[in-house]
Amino acid sequence: MELTKRQTVILDIVKKEGPITGEQIADRLSLTRATLRPDMTILTMSGMLEARPRVGYYFSGKGPGRMLVEKLHRIKVGDVKSVPIVVTDQCSVYDAVVTMFIEDVGTLFVVREGGFLEGVLSRKDLLKITLGSHDIHKFPAGVIMTRMPNVVTVTPDESVWTAAKKLITHEVDALPVVREAADSGAAEVIGRLSKTNITRLFVELGESS
Ligand code: ADP
C-alpha cells in the first residue's frame, strides 16, 4: 500500500522513537491529535503500527513490502484457481485443439475415469505433432502428453507464492490443482492454476493497495 507523505513521516518517528504516544507524535509534527487520527487509524489498521494503552505506538516490524510478502504467502491456490479443462488420453489431437479454442485455455489436463490425472497437453505439444505427417483426427493426444509422474501439480492449500515459484522453476504455463484420493493416493484434478491467475491476482493486489 502507498503511504502519504505525512504517514511516512509518522512511521519514521515511531520507528526511531517508539513506543511514543499520539500526543508526542502530534507535538513533533506541530499538529493536533485530531488531525493525526485518520493517519494513525490507517497505520494501525494496516498492521504497520501497533498501539498499546498507556504505552503508545510502536513499529510492528512490518513495512509495506513485508506486508505484501505476507499476503502472498497467506492467499491460497484454492482462493484463485480456475475450472480445469480436461480430456481423455483417447481424445484425438484435432479434438484437443478444438477444446483449447472453445474453452479458451492454453493447457489441457488429461484424466482417466474419476477425474484422476494422467498428463498435460500444452499448445506446443499439439503444434509439434502437426509438423509430422500424422492424421490429427486419429492420432490420440495421450501419446504426446507429458505424463505422470512428470507433471508438476499443486494442492489447494499451497500458497499462490509457492505455485508461482513452481510455474517459473519448471517453465510451464499452468499447474493442475489436485487432491489426493484417500484410498488410492491418486491425484484427482479439482482445478487449474495458470500464469493468468497469478497476473490477475497481481492486478487486484495493485488496485486494492
Ligand atoms: P507451451 O507448450 O505453450 O510453451 P508450457 O510451457 O506450459 O506451454 O509447456 C511446455 C512443456 O511442458 C509441454 O511439453 C507441456 O506438456 C509440459 N507441461 C505443461 N504443464 C506442465 C506441468 N504442470 N507439469 C509438467 N509439464 C508440463
Side-chain angles (χ1 to χ4, degrees):
M1 79 183 258
E2 197 138 347
L3 299 181
T4 63
K5 212 165 168 187
R6 190 199 280 162
Q7 287 160 1
T8 309
V9 173
I10 296 171
L11 197 60
D12 281 343
I13 292 173
V14 180
K15 270 186 198 168
K16 281 193 204 110
E17 302 180 40
I20 179 170
T21 65
E23 197 80 47
Q24 290 167 319
I25 298 171
D27 272 356
R28 299 277 189 291
L29 297 172
S30 307
L31 294 166
T32 65
R33 280 197 67 188
T35 312
L36 282 189
R37 201 158 291 135
D39 294 316
M40 300 315 291
T41 305
I42 287 169
L43 290 169
T44 45
M45 296 263 291
S46 67
M48 284 182 231
L49 293 188
E50 287 182 32
R52 224 176 261 160
R54 288 187 297 279
V55 178
Y57 294 95
Y58 60 95
F59 180 53
S60 66
K62 300 172 188 167
R66 179 79 218 140
M67 294 184 62
L68 180 61
V69 170
E70 280 188 7
K71 207 163 185 180
L72 287 177
H73 285 273
R74 225 177 22 242
I75 299 171
K76 303 295 175 203
V77 166
D79 302 329
V80 299
K81 69 177 163 58
S82 303
V83 175
I85 306 302
V86 301
V87 294
T88 68
D89 64 350
Q90 288 310 309
C91 161
S92 68
V93 165
Y94 178 87
D95 283 341
V97 172
V98 170
T99 306
M100 262 190 189
F101 275 104
I102 291 175
E103 301 290 350
D104 194 17
V105 291
T107 310
L108 299 173
F109 303 139
V110 182
V111 296
R112 63 175 183 276
E113 217 179 306
F116 297 113
L117 185 63
E118 301 241 275
V120 172
L121 282 169
S122 76
R123 280 179 277 232
K124 265 181 244 152
D125 292 332
L126 295 167
L127 272 178
K128 207 170 2 171
I129 199 74
T130 64
L131 296 176
S133 53
H134 305 282
D135 180 354
I136 61 163
H137 288 273
K138 295 213 180 91
F139 202 91
V143 174
I144 55 168
M145 69 184 179
T146 298
R147 60 178 60 244
M148 288 292 264
N150 298 323
V151 178
V152 183
T153 62
V154 75
T155 58
D157 53 344
E158 283 182 81
S159 72
V160 287
W161 183 84
T162 307
K165 189 109 200 257
K166 285 185 183 181
L167 288 168
I168 293 295
T169 309
H170 298 279
E171 298 181 5
V172 293
D173 292 345
L175 305 169
V177 182
V178 299
R179 128 179 102 203
E180 202 177 296
D183 47 353
S184 60
E188 185 191 349
V189 179
I190 55 168
R192 171 170 54 96
L193 195 285
S194 69
K195 285 182 176 170
T196 305
N197 294 114
I198 303 291
T199 310
R200 191 179 298 127
L201 177 65
F202 188 84
V203 170
E204 281 171 13
L205 288 175
E207 280 169 352
S208 67
S209 67

